[in-house]
Amino acid sequence: MRIGELSERTGTPRRLLRYYEEQGLIFPSRCANGYRAYDESLVDRILQIRGLLDAGLPTRIIKQILPCLNKPRVIHFSDATPEMIATLEDERDRMTERIECLVRNRDAIADYLDAVRGDKRPDAAPEASTTP
Amino acid sequence: MRIGELSERTGTPRRLLRYYEEQGLIFPSRCANGYRAYDESLVDRILQIRGLLDAGLPTRIIKQILPCLNKPRVIHFSDATPEMIATLEDERDRMTERIECLVRNRDAIADYLDAVRGDKRPDAAPEASTTP
DNA sequence: GTTGACCATCACATCGATGTGATGGTTCGA
DNA sequence: TCGAACCATCACATCGATGTGATGGTCAAC
């Protein structure tokens, strides 16, 4: 597909699809006329990239971890240098920290919302303190 | 404490402590001479802010959710306007999406790392496919 | 009272992600 | 053949989070 369709199907501005390519995150091929040609699988990949960007990872890191994700899992052990491994372990741990921070705060928000709602309708409170 | 100590204890540049204040995330009091005076509890708060920032939340959102987090949980239901509630629900859901995306990708990295390590030391592979 | 380590404000620079517009080529249907 | 709808590249602007430096006040120790 061409850039317009990919843009529509992923909700991503064309500008950014070109930017992700420039950053080395995707490698669309080219038609004879110079138009970019995107493979079907890039729809998911773009979504994945955007999710990671939204979660705070920079393109530099995304570029490093993408090659290791959802691959045939059989080939490509060749390019796993020790530095790469260390980088990945680092990033895995950083992601775990991010996850924990997000979970903590999201749960706090959820608790607050539950409390506010429980305050307004004290009958349907889902906790265990209403019927003693 | 003053800004220098807070900066050291949180690993945050003074510049950013002032920036967070400018963005309405923290409200240090002032000494007679104009120096900012930070309460002990702000150490954790700064860490929390940095974690959320690192996880991709903008200060604008952090400013909205902070008042609802780890508070006495008793007072302050007054300022919960319906729009505020809606914003919080939105943000809670967005955080959940972020979390799921991060977990998916972190697990993929972890799996990859396990596979690579299992490839190098096929004896201690933790999965269930080595001893048939 | 001077020095050095703090602090203040303010302005400007940078960096990554994104928006926007200028300019021009390709394709295709009216 | 013309115009609309794509596409290309390129340059510049914006925005939020940060870095950096200029300029000057406060205070404790010497």
Side-chain angles (χ1 to χ4, degrees):
Chain A
M1 82 193 75
R2 283 173 305 175
I3 200 171
E5 184 181 345
L6 184 59
S7 170
E8 263 191 28
R9 288 177 58 186
T10 61
T12 307
R14 291 143 222 252
R15 170 73 171 87
L16 290 186
L17 296 177
R18 300 196 184 101
Y19 176 66
Y20 300 154
E21 175 183 356
E22 183 189 315
Q23 298 302 306
L25 304 186
I26 51 179
F27 309 94
S29 50
R30 295 288 181 137
C31 302
N33 54 14
Y35 289 8
R36 270 165 260 254
Y38 295 92
D39 186 70
E40 180 71 22
S41 70
L42 286 192
V43 174
D44 284 337
R45 178 122 300 199
I46 292 296
L47 262 19
Q48 186 181 28
I49 290 172
R50 303 218 93 205
L52 290 171
L53 274 174
D54 180 62
L57 277 75
T59 55
R60 170 179 41 89
I61 298 296
I62 298 178
K63 172 180 175 162
Q64 291 193 284
I65 68 181
L66 269 189
C68 313
L69 272 29
N70 55 358
K71 277 288 201 53
R73 193 62 55 92
V74 189
I75 336 230
H76 80 86
F77 280 149
S78 42
D79 53 353
T81 74
E83 304 84 29
M84 180 60 128
I85 302 281
T87 301
L88 285 176
E89 284 173 339
D90 252 40
E91 211 51 40
R92 176 200 55 192
D93 295 345
R94 291 175 53 77
M95 289 172 80
T96 298
E97 281 172 30
R98 273 197 187 87
I99 290 165
E100 281 163 2
C101 178
L102 277 171
V103 165
R104 266 197 314 274
N105 286 286
R106 185 216 36 194
D107 289 351
I109 294 177
D111 287 353
Y112 173 82
L113 285 170
D114 287 352
V116 173
R117 273 202 223 78
D119 195 49
K120 302 216 171 210
R121 331 184 324 256
D123 49 303
E127 307 97 9
S129 67
T130 31
T131 49
Chain B
M1 84 194 72
R2 284 173 304 175
I3 201 172
E5 185 180 345
L6 184 60
S7 170
E8 262 190 29
R9 287 178 58 186
T10 61
T12 307
R14 290 143 223 252
R15 170 72 172 88
L16 290 186
L17 295 177
R18 301 198 182 100
Y19 176 67
Y20 300 155
E21 175 183 357
E22 183 190 314
Q23 298 302 305
L25 304 186
I26 51 178
F27 308 94
S29 49
R30 296 287 182 138
C31 302
N33 53 12
Y35 289 9
R36 271 164 260 253
Y38 296 93
D39 186 70
E40 180 71 22
S41 69
L42 286 192
V43 174
D44 285 337
R45 178 121 303 197
I46 292 296
L47 261 17
Q48 185 181 29
I49 290 173
R50 303 219 92 204
L52 289 170
L53 274 175
D54 181 61
L57 276 75
T59 55
R60 169 178 43 89
I61 297 297
I62 298 177
K63 172 181 175 162
Q64 291 193 286
I65 69 181
L66 270 189
C68 313
L69 273 28
N70 55 358
K71 278 288 201 53
R73 193 64 54 94
V74 189
I75 336 227
H76 80 87
F77 281 149
S78 42
D79 53 352
T81 74
E83 304 84 28
M84 181 59 129
I85 302 280
T87 301
L88 285 177
E89 285 172 338
D90 252 41
E91 211 50 40
R92 177 200 55 191
D93 295 345
R94 291 174 53 77
M95 289 171 80
T96 298
E97 281 173 30
R98 272 195 189 89
I99 290 165
E100 281 163 2
C101 179
L102 277 172
V103 166
R104 265 198 314 276
N105 286 285
R106 187 221 27 200
D107 289 352
I109 294 177
D111 287 353
Y112 174 82
L113 285 170
D114 287 351
V116 173
R117 274 203 223 78
D119 193 50
K120 302 217 173 213
R121 329 185 327 257
D123 49 303
E127 308 97 9
S129 66
T130 32
T131 48

